[in-house]
Amino acid sequence: MNVSSVWHAPGHAARYRERVFAARTRLTRDHSDLAEAQRRVLNDLVGFNASTAFGRAHGLGRVLTMEDFRSAVPVRDYADHAPLIERTAAGERNLLSADTPAVYFTSSGSTGAHKKVPVTPRFMKTTFMPFYYAAWAPSSSTSPRCWSAPTRS
């Protein structure tokens, strides 16, 4: 199915617009208290990943606050994580995340060397897609024509 046929399907643009505004509404509601949102995300992430090799090595099961997290997990660069990322990419599980990566993005970063960035289905569902959809809301509010079928150049 090509892009043109999707946009011309009856009701597609309206459904997509509805999804965009619903995502914005959820993000606005869920982040009305930013400190509480930060606590929820922290608790979710450390709870979900406490049993991984990284989680056990850093005592994530005992992390209750951001201060606990800062004490348990020092700031590191890519090179510090690379061995676990490479082992995960080779098929070993439960190292950095309890979720299995679906894909690895690559980045050359500032060094020019290719770096693998593991992307999990959980990340896509809880973080990337909600923000992706919500990001369309301001454009849709100010430029309703963006919901028209794409034009061909």
Side-chain angles (χ1 to χ4, degrees):
M1 179 177 280
N2 64 40
V3 171
S4 181
S5 64
V6 169
W7 276 102
H8 288 96
H12 176 76
R15 286 189 305 276
Y16 194 83
R17 185 175 190 276
E18 185 177 311
R19 186 175 192 176
V20 162
F21 283 101
R24 180 178 68 179
T25 298
R26 275 190 305 278
L27 283 174
T28 301
R29 179 195 64 224
D30 293 349
H31 294 87
S32 61
D33 179 344
L34 293 178
E36 178 56 31
Q38 185 181 42
R39 277 189 292 282
R40 268 194 326 268
V41 169
L42 175 68
N43 291 337
D44 176 59
L45 289 173
V46 298
F48 185 74
N49 293 299
S51 66
T52 65
F54 185 88
R56 288 188 309 274
H58 293 87
L60 292 187
R62 294 183 305 276
V63 169
L64 300 175
T65 66
M66 278 303 298
E67 201 52 47
D68 293 344
F69 183 81
R70 287 184 189 109
S71 295
V73 183
V75 174
R76 296 193 174 119
D77 63 11
Y78 182 85
D80 294 321
H81 295 289
L84 292 178
I85 292 170
E86 290 301 325
R87 286 171 51 197
T88 300
E92 200 171 337
R93 298 291 170 248
N94 212 33
L95 296 173
L96 283 169
S97 175
D99 198 8
T100 301
V103 67
Y104 289 84
F105 291 158
T106 56
S107 168
S108 59
S110 58
T111 66
H114 287 288
K115 298 174 178 121
K116 293 181 180 94
V117 180
V119 179
T120 66
R122 191 168 193 266
F123 167 79
M124 294 299 290
K125 181 180 179 184
T126 63
T127 306
F128 182 83
M129 293 310 293
F131 282 94
Y132 171 82
Y133 286 118
W136 281 101
S139 296
S140 339
S141 297
T142 59
S143 303
R145 285 182 16 169
C146 75
W147 297 105
S148 304
T151 57
R152 294 178 190 228
S153 7

